[in-house]
Amino acid sequence: MEQSHVSALQLKHAGIERKIHEELSRPMPDLAMVQSLKKQKLKLKEAITHV
């Protein structure tokens, strides 16, 4: 059960990483959105390490 929870968090983390990369590769990236995504990614990373 706990492993599936960690796997789900890791998938979300990877998805956010992909969104950040996609946004930054655009000609005019939305930096506020990137900052928000980075905060979400950090929270997920903390959740993964504390499980």
Side-chain angles (χ1 to χ4, degrees):
M1 180 75 177
E2 195 171 294
Q3 183 58 37
S4 65
H5 182 64
V6 171
S7 295
L9 291 175
Q10 289 171 333
L11 278 174
K12 279 186 175 180
H13 186 272
I16 291 174
E17 180 71 34
R18 191 171 56 252
K19 284 181 184 176
I20 291 170
H21 181 74
E22 288 171 3
E23 188 63 32
L24 289 176
S25 65
R26 290 176 35 169
M28 299 215 23
D30 181 346
L31 297 180
M33 183 174 138
V34 171
Q35 195 65 29
S36 174
L37 288 169
K38 285 183 177 185
K39 286 180 184 178
Q40 291 175 38
K41 193 176 96 170
L42 181 59
K43 286 181 184 176
L44 281 172
K45 185 176 180 182
E46 288 173 354
I48 291 168
T49 58
H50 288 98
V51 170

